[in-house]
């Protein structure tokens, strides 16, 4: 497992004063949410008038769901984060350990499990730790790289390749 230096912004458990940037991110999050809602409503109307389209959409959704389930990660590959949302509530979230922060993992906003606020922007976050510990077998160091061959080894290899080359030429010409 590669070493990752995790970032944090603010301290979610301490008092937090919202910044102008936080207000901008929340407004942008709400605009995106509204745009997606309108698109979904439009797609639902199209599906109601076209059953074949609805079936293709259902099948595509099932395929994506199966694919997502096949990407299960081990507990030692999942980093847990404590985040403060725009609404002021603090929640935990998870992302693959290779992301240095939850924003890099694509989590700009979350639904708040306490107040139900949708698309609440993340205003502060800190890493908590991996969901699980690294298995013992994975903690072992990788084997050392193979030693460079000696001159006699290389001469023997050239000799055997020469014989193989001659055999193939004979086979091809005969």
């Amino acid at each position: 497992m590669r070493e990752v230096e995790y970032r944090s912004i603010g301290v979610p458990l301490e008092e937090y004063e919202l910044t102008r940037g936080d207000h901008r991110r929340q407004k942008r999050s709400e605009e995106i949410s509204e745009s997606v809602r309108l698109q979904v409503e439009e797609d639902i109307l199209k599906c109601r008038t076209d059953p074949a389209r609805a079936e293709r959409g259902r099948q595509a959704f099932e395929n994506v769901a199966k694919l997502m389930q096949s990407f299960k990660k081990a507990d030692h590959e999942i980093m847990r984060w404590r985040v403060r949302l725009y609404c002021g509530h603090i929640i935990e979230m998870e992302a693959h350990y290779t992301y240095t922060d939850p924003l890099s993992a694509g989590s700009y906003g979350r639904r708040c499990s306490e107040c139900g606020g949708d698309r609440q922007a993340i205003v502060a976050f800190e890493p908590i730790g991996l969901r699980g510990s690294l298995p013992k077998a994975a903690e072992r160091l990788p084997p050392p790289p193979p030693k460079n061959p000696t001159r006699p080894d290389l001469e023997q290899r050239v000799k055997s390749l020469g014989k193989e080359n001659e055999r193939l030429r004979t086979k091809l010409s005969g």
Side-chain angles (χ1 to χ4, degrees):
M1 229 168 93
R2 72 181 174 110
E3 203 57 36
V4 179
E5 190 172 325
Y6 297 103
R7 296 179 343 114
S8 63
I9 293 181
V11 181
L13 294 177
E14 292 181 1
E15 281 295 313
Y16 186 83
E17 188 76 30
L18 293 172
T19 66
R20 287 176 26 197
D22 294 335
H23 293 298
R24 272 194 312 274
R25 278 192 301 282
Q26 180 61 27
K27 182 178 184 207
R28 182 72 180 133
S29 180
E30 290 169 359
E31 290 169 352
I32 290 169
S33 185
E34 179 62 15
S35 174
V36 169
R37 187 187 64 74
L38 292 173
Q39 248 179 327
V40 167
E41 283 180 5
E42 182 181 315
D43 195 50
I44 288 171
L45 288 174
K46 288 178 183 176
C47 286
R48 285 184 181 151
T49 59
D50 185 358
R53 178 188 178 114
E55 179 56 28
R56 286 191 308 272
R58 187 193 62 74
Q59 187 62 47
F61 181 78
E62 283 181 10
N63 292 342
V64 168
K66 285 178 190 174
L67 183 64
M68 298 283 289
Q69 289 174 348
S70 73
F71 291 135
K72 297 287 184 205
K73 297 293 180 191
D75 284 350
H76 69 275
E77 296 179 301
I78 304 298
M79 174 54 79
R80 294 173 29 242
W81 297 89
R82 180 177 297 119
V83 300
R84 177 182 287 272
L85 300 175
Y86 182 81
C87 61
H89 292 116
I90 298 167
I91 63 168
E92 279 189 22
M93 59 175 290
E94 298 177 339
H96 194 264
Y97 82 96
T98 54
Y99 291 106
T100 59
D101 60 65
L103 303 177
S104 298
S107 299
Y108 301 105
R110 279 283 199 241
R111 179 175 187 82
C112 180
S113 55
E114 292 192 40
C115 69
D118 201 18
R119 295 287 304 177
Q120 296 294 305
I122 295 173
V123 297
F125 56 85
E126 63 185 356
I128 299 172
L130 295 174
R131 189 191 306 155
S133 59
L134 193 61
K136 295 290 182 206
E139 290 176 356
R140 281 188 247 137
L141 294 175
K147 294 180 181 176
N148 289 336
T150 63
R151 182 176 182 96
D153 292 338
L154 292 173
E155 288 172 348
Q156 179 62 35
R157 179 80 174 134
V158 167
K159 190 176 180 181
S160 67
L161 289 173
K163 286 180 182 178
E164 177 68 9
N165 194 12
E166 190 60 39
R167 185 186 67 80
L168 292 172
R169 279 193 183 130
T170 304
K171 184 179 176 181
L172 186 63
S173 64

